[in-house]
Amino acid sequence: MRTVKTGGGTVSNERLTFIALVTSVVLASLSWALADQIPTVPTHNMSNKERNELKEEAREMFYHAYRAYMDNAYPADELMPLSCTGRYRGVTPSRGDLDDTLGNFSMTLVDTLDTLVVLGDIEEFENAVKLVIKDVKFDNDIIVSVFETNIRMIGGLLSGHILAEYVQKQADVMTWYRGELLEMAKDLGYRLLPAFNTSTGIPHARVNLKHGMKVEALRHSRETCTACAGTILLEFAALSRLSGEPIFEVKAHAAMDALWKMRHRSSELMGTVLNVHSGDWIRRESGVGAGIDSYYEYCLKSYILLGDERYLARFNRHYHAIMKYISQGPMLLDVQMHRPHTKTRNFMDALLAFWPGLQVLSGDLKPAVQTHEMLYQVMQMHTFIPEAFTFDFQVHWGQHHLRPEFIESTYFLYRATGDHYYLHAGKKALKALQKHAKVPCGYAAVNDVRTGKHEDRMDSYVLSETFKYLFLLFSDPADLILNIEDFIFTTEAHLLPLTLGQLGNHTFNGARDQDEQVHMLDYMRSCPSPNKLFPETVRRPLRDLVTGVCPRISSAKRLRAADFQASNTDHLRTVYDMGITMVSLGEGKVQLLHSFHNAKSPEDAERGLIFMQEMVELSNSNSIPNTQLQAVAFKRDGDRELRILEAGPSHFGMELVNDLSVVQRAVFAKPAKVCTALKNVDEIRGKIVIIERGECTFVDKARRVQTAGAVAAIVFDNTPNTSINNQQMFAMSGDGRDDVQIPVVFLFTKEAEQLIKAVKEQPTLELTLMSVTGLKGKLAKEQRASTTKTDTKSSDAKATP
């Protein structure tokens, strides 16, 4: 048999053919691992009435925060919602580097201008523009962040200017406006330019608005983050093309070109922090979150807005690398840019929640759905997405600053798929803000999601982005006064018209660096998906990703099919590395698909093939033998015979074998699915508890009722018309922990209906839980004893004189 060498081992040509054809195995035996571990997820379509009510609630949220700022803080940069006063640089207590965002230039109002137009409030927009023109000044002896000032202030002024001219033409209002906001943006842009005077062209992180870099505090300035230097081009290109002054776009292109040269040529990844003078990397961690996030965003959006194809080429090279090294199934894990197989930290940060939205924009929907689902589960677990969370989804940093990124991705996924699931996800985020962040004077950041304690902070992006994306999510595009499709959102959600690209790049010579080789591959999407995806099939295998995390296993140990648990994130990551993806087929069935080309390496691909072969064997042998079937038996008043319902066992809890049994009355759990705190603990104590399947794991249900004092539990199916006569019985899975002591059995729907009806009609009914073989043996023994007794009585009767 001829063999083909593949890296560290050999694979027969038959096996390569098997891989190349993409193996497909339907594994009903995995139903325990996926279909039962589903958090509360409404799947029905949202009514127009409810959607409109949520849109208006989002509008009211914005105005609650906006009026609190205008009435209590303006002209300060930000509102402090707990103090109900303004935050001024140099007046209110310093927060260190965090205050570099502030410049005493009424940042919240400027940042919010275009949100007023999105809401259709032209009257207040006009009033706000007049206030900005009258009150906002930039000749301040203050050191500010170049990045934050660009995205919030220059972006806000430019979008305000564009929309002021837009409403002039469309609604014949603001006829007095003569481009004042554009002049202010140009003034501020010139004040940022000294930061670009470096040997690399990569700008300093901070600059003094009055004195440029000529202040003592900036004399030793040398470090900046990748996102700080790479999130300039959209605003600076718009400023140049609107003002006719090329310097801004020239400087921004130069910064992007310099960053591109700094990438690691082998991995195509970027680090996080670098020296602006030498270009040397200071921090080589590479991810898609804090410190690097919006650089990738601006690579793609610069192509979309400006039509410069090299930015698409750069984005796609980076994207290939991110999906190869950083993307681990639904998770995004930081690596070393120069050693991309080496993980650098044990947590993810909240800023990476923008990534699914960017993937939608690039056309790659499937991984966008996966990562969004993971983040949604984290949000449901902690009410908000913490500032950072560990790989097993525990809180690493507990703050939640009312960030918009998750809502942003939710909006883009809804627009791409039309799936109302994302409306429900947005509703959950909206209600969480209303319940846990709303205060009398605006909305307060959460200092710790575990305690709900507030922080005296309401960043300008809450008005510029968070409420804007919420409003747009629930809005019908036809109801807006502008066509959102004609604009692109900056990283601060400011609107820039796509017509800017049609002006032509008259301000930049467009010369391409000689060493920048361009290939057709650079213009190809990495994993294009149809525009209309069925996200449900992608989400379902992930639905227990967060809530059922198991202890981690050593990556050096090969994962065997018999050990696989879909609730274990390491297991999921391992099968993804082996080129295996999971798709739910409904009715508790799962399809595993293996592709050689999706594996991280030839070695991983071969391990994946072995895993798939093991799964085939396991699937063929993993049906529950009749000897393991459990019985739920009862005899109602008036019944002549015992009714026996066949049930499935569990891989946790007491095993009912031989003569072991539980005999007791039954009660229904409240709530029925037992995924939250029980409300009828007193009724449950000492009883058999009847539980509905779904929303959380079997073993979690068992733990809750065991803690309440139950002696056993019966879980019944939540899928209509299932029966042991038309379904393959399975054993309910645990999660590796051996802490459940009570027996737990499973009934399909048809059998459960008989039980539920009987218990409701006769609440005092006693149930017997026992193995089917044990019960049948007991009944046979009783029958023999009864027959013998009858025969004895007959003999005695004959002997009586």
Side-chain angles (χ1 to χ4, degrees):
M1 180 184 297
R2 187 174 66 85
T3 59
V4 182
K5 186 75 174 176
T6 59
T10 57
V11 182
S12 68
N13 54 353
E14 285 87 351
R15 292 168 71 189
L16 283 172
T17 302
F18 183 57
I19 295 169
L21 290 175
V22 185
T23 330
S24 174
V25 182
V26 177
L27 299 172
S29 62
L30 282 182
S31 60
W32 52 265
L34 300 176
D36 302 293
Q37 304 169 358
I38 303 174
T40 305
V41 179
T43 56
H44 60 278
N45 279 358
M46 183 177 287
S47 68
N48 289 334
K49 179 177 181 293
E50 182 180 10
R51 185 174 171 185
N52 191 62
E53 288 171 351
L54 290 167
K55 177 188 74 173
E56 293 307 314
E57 188 170 358
R59 186 197 302 275
E60 290 167 8
M61 292 169 74
F62 169 82
Y63 281 114
H64 177 69
Y66 178 75
R67 290 176 184 130
Y69 166 75
M70 295 301 294
D71 294 344
N72 302 284
Y74 183 80
D77 282 325
E78 291 179 348
L79 168 69
M80 295 191 292
L82 301 183
S83 306
C84 207
T85 188
R87 187 186 299 282
Y88 290 90
R89 184 77 173 271
V91 177
T92 47
S94 173
R95 300 175 296 170
D97 291 346
L98 185 60
D99 280 348
D100 288 346
T101 302
L102 312 177
N104 289 345
F105 36 34
S106 303
M107 181 174 64
T108 294
L109 183 59
V110 173
D111 211 4
T112 303
L113 290 175
D114 60 357
T115 307
L116 291 165
V117 180
V118 170
L119 294 173
D121 193 346
I122 303 304
E123 181 180 351
E124 183 57 30
F125 172 67
E126 182 173 10
N127 178 57
V129 170
K130 288 179 177 178
L131 285 175
V132 169
I133 294 170
K134 178 172 71 75
D135 295 337
V136 175
K137 301 292 184 289
F138 302 125
D139 194 28
N140 305 325
D141 188 7
I142 291 177
I143 294 173
V144 299
S145 162
V146 173
F147 163 73
E148 297 286 2
T149 304
N150 175 62
I151 65 171
R152 301 197 200 199
M153 293 298 298
I154 291 183
L157 291 167
L158 289 175
S159 186
H161 163 71
I162 290 162
L163 294 179
E165 292 195 334
Y166 181 91
V167 298
Q168 269 186 341
K169 297 174 183 176
Q170 300 297 322
D172 195 27
V173 295
M174 294 182 68
T175 54
W176 55 267
Y177 180 74
R178 293 292 183 271
E180 290 88 345
L181 295 181
L182 177 60
E183 288 302 311
M184 294 177 70
K186 188 166 64 172
D187 174 25
L188 185 54
Y190 275 114
R191 293 177 186 275
L192 298 186
L193 283 183
F196 290 80
N197 293 332
T198 63
S199 55
T200 61
I202 297 171
H204 289 276
R206 299 182 299 162
V207 69
N208 186 289
L209 289 177
K210 191 178 184 72
H211 304 292
M213 300 301 298
K214 298 177 181 179
V215 293
E216 181 61 25
L218 297 177
R219 191 162 65 90
H220 300 291
S221 171
R222 61 176 61 87
E223 296 179 8
T224 193
C225 71
T226 305
C228 301
T231 313
I232 305 288
L233 182 53
L234 293 188
E235 291 82 2
F236 268 36
L239 181 55
S240 282
R241 297 188 183 202
L242 291 169
S243 69
E245 301 194 22
I247 185 65
F248 305 108
E249 186 169 355
V250 169
K251 291 290 187 181
H253 279 297
M256 292 293 276
D257 291 344
L259 286 172
W260 173 246
K261 291 177 182 178
M262 298 302 117
R263 77 193 187 284
H264 192 270
R265 299 300 178 96
S266 176
S267 71
E268 301 284 7
L269 293 174
M270 304 291 285
T272 307
V273 177
L274 71 164
N275 186 305
V276 299
H277 298 298
S278 65
D280 294 334
W281 289 104
I282 297 169
R283 291 182 54 186
R284 295 171 178 263
E285 298 96 328
S286 187
V288 298
I292 196 169
D293 48 359
S294 48
Y295 163 73
Y296 293 131
E297 180 183 1
Y298 272 40
C299 281
L300 180 59
K301 289 184 176 180
S302 293
Y303 164 71
I304 294 170
L305 182 66
L306 307 177
D308 192 329
E309 292 182 343
R310 68 186 147 154
Y311 290 110
L312 177 62
R314 292 175 185 179
F315 172 79
N316 276 314
R317 285 209 196 179
H318 287 317
Y319 188 75
H320 279 290
I322 290 165
M323 298 306 290
K324 181 177 181 181
Y325 299 117
I326 294 170
S327 176
Q328 303 289 317
M331 298 190 292
L332 298 159
L333 313 180
D334 282 17
V335 300
Q336 292 281 5
M337 63 178 287
H338 57 298
R339 291 197 299 269
H341 294 291
T342 303
K343 303 292 182 287
T344 61
R345 63 185 190 181
N346 66 344
F347 63 89
M348 293 175 275
D349 64 71
L351 286 169
L352 62 77
F354 90 100
W355 185 250
L358 190 64
Q359 288 181 306
V360 170
L361 201 59
S362 74
D364 199 5
L365 290 181
K366 183 176 179 180
V369 170
Q370 291 175 326
T371 296
H372 182 276
E373 178 64 18
M374 179 270 292
L375 291 165
Y376 186 28
Q377 291 188 46
V378 171
M379 187 193 85
Q380 293 179 96
M381 184 177 186
H382 299 293
T383 304
F384 296 108
I385 297 176
E387 190 69 1
F389 52 93
T390 58
F391 293 168
D392 57 354
F393 309 109
Q394 302 306 305
V395 174
H396 184 73
W397 297 327
Q399 303 93 334
H400 177 73
H401 298 143
L402 316 184
R403 292 194 184 279
E405 285 80 11
F406 175 76
I407 300 169
E408 173 187 357
S409 288
T410 303
Y411 166 71
F412 281 111
L413 274 164
Y414 175 68
R415 296 294 299 153
T417 66
D419 188 347
H420 281 225
Y421 178 91
Y422 297 109
L423 294 179
H424 289 286
K427 175 183 176 180
K428 198 166 188 72
L430 182 151
K431 295 299 183 182
L433 288 169
Q434 290 286 67
K435 183 175 180 180
H436 300 286
K438 188 176 184 180
V439 294
C441 195
Y443 288 80
V446 177
N447 185 259
D448 194 324
V449 298
R450 292 163 291 195
T451 65
K453 181 183 177 182
H454 285 136
E455 186 177 336
D456 203 6
R457 172 177 178 179
M458 189 181 82
D459 291 83
S460 65
Y461 56 67
V462 178
L463 291 165
S464 175
E465 299 184 76
T466 305
F467 294 141
K468 180 186 290 172
Y469 282 124
L470 271 177
F471 179 82
L472 288 172
L473 175 63
F474 299 115
S475 297
D476 187 327
D479 295 336
L480 303 175
I481 68 169
L482 45 79
N483 185 358
I484 292 295
E485 301 297 328
D486 293 339
F487 297 85
I488 192 168
F489 290 102
T490 69
T491 195
E492 190 74 4
H494 292 308
L495 297 170
L496 296 179
L498 295 173
T499 52
L500 282 174
Q502 298 172 7
L503 297 177
N505 195 356
H506 303 301
T507 62
F508 182 62
N509 60 23
R512 191 181 300 281
D513 195 291
Q514 290 298 314
D515 77 341
E516 187 168 343
Q517 300 296 320
V518 179
H519 305 280
M520 282 304 297
L521 180 65
D522 297 336
Y523 299 99
M524 295 170 61
R525 299 276 191 261
S526 296
C527 303
S529 306
N531 189 47
K532 291 299 180 184
L533 180 76
F534 297 98
E536 171 68 12
T537 63
V538 179
R539 288 192 301 263
R540 188 174 292 179
L542 304 174
R543 284 189 178 171
D544 193 44
L545 183 64
V546 170
T547 56
V549 175
C550 295
R552 318 195 80 71
I553 61 168
S554 168
S555 59
K557 182 181 177 181
R558 186 179 74 81
L559 178 62
R560 299 182 183 277
D563 300 325
F564 174 72
Q565 292 180 337
S567 59
N568 186 315
T569 52
D570 266 343
H571 289 189
L572 287 175
R573 190 157 54 246
T574 300
V575 297
Y576 273 108
D577 287 349
M578 294 189 296
I580 297 169
T581 55
M582 290 181 289
V583 178
S584 172
L585 301 178
E587 297 184 351
K589 295 181 179 180
V590 177
Q591 187 177 60
L592 299 187
L593 301 173
H594 179 256
S595 171
F596 182 90
H597 299 290
N598 287 341
K600 285 221 165 190
S601 67
E603 294 81 2
D604 284 317
E606 186 166 359
R607 281 192 286 269
L609 178 58
I610 295 170
F611 181 88
M612 293 291 284
Q613 291 170 334
E614 289 178 350
M615 274 295 186
V616 174
E617 296 169 5
L618 188 63
S619 178
N620 292 333
S621 64
N622 205 35
S623 58
I624 302 299
N626 289 334
T627 55
Q628 291 185 21
L629 284 174
Q630 304 294 290
V632 178
F634 57 88
K635 189 174 184 180
R636 296 184 298 182
D637 293 342
D639 283 351
R640 298 182 61 185
E641 295 182 355
L642 189 70
R643 187 166 304 191
I644 301 173
L645 306 175
E646 292 185 337
S650 62
H651 287 309
F652 53 87
M654 179 192 297
E655 186 178 2
L656 296 175
V657 295
N658 301 324
D659 294 334
L660 286 178
S661 65
V662 175
V663 181
Q664 188 51 260
R665 289 166 53 190
V667 295
F668 294 98
K670 298 177 184 177
K673 293 181 180 177
V674 196
C675 294
T676 54
L678 286 159
K679 298 178 180 178
N680 61 332
V681 173
D682 291 340
E683 293 180 63
I684 286 173
R685 191 172 292 110
K687 303 294 191 304
I688 298 172
V689 186
I690 300 174
I691 305 168
E692 184 179 352
R693 178 183 188 177
E695 296 184 7
C696 60
T697 62
F698 288 126
V699 71
D700 282 343
K701 298 174 190 287
R703 289 190 181 110
R704 286 193 175 93
V705 297
Q706 176 178 270
T707 301
V711 296
I714 301 169
V715 181
F716 66 88
D717 201 4
N718 59 354
T719 302
N721 301 319
T722 60
S723 170
I724 197 166
N725 298 318
N726 60 29
Q727 297 285 320
Q728 184 180 21
M729 185 53 78
F730 58 90
M732 295 179 287
S733 177
D735 59 6
R737 292 163 55 193
D738 187 20
D739 58 349
V740 176
Q741 306 303 320
I742 63 174
V744 185
V745 302
F746 177 83
L747 286 175
F748 282 120
T749 307
K750 288 293 187 181
E751 289 73 29
E753 287 171 353
Q754 300 178 48
L755 172 67
I756 292 168
K757 180 181 179 182
V759 173
K760 286 182 176 179
E761 290 178 351
Q762 187 178 331
T764 60
L765 184 68
E766 280 195 342
L767 307 182
T768 297
L769 303 189
M770 198 173 184
S771 71
V772 169
T773 54
L775 181 59
K776 288 181 177 179
K778 179 183 176 183
L779 293 175
K781 186 175 180 180
E782 290 175 353
Q783 179 65 35
R784 287 194 300 270
S786 175
T787 302
T788 302
K789 189 173 180 181
T790 301
D791 290 343
T792 302
K793 286 182 178 179
S794 298
S795 298
D796 290 345
K798 291 178 181 178
T800 302

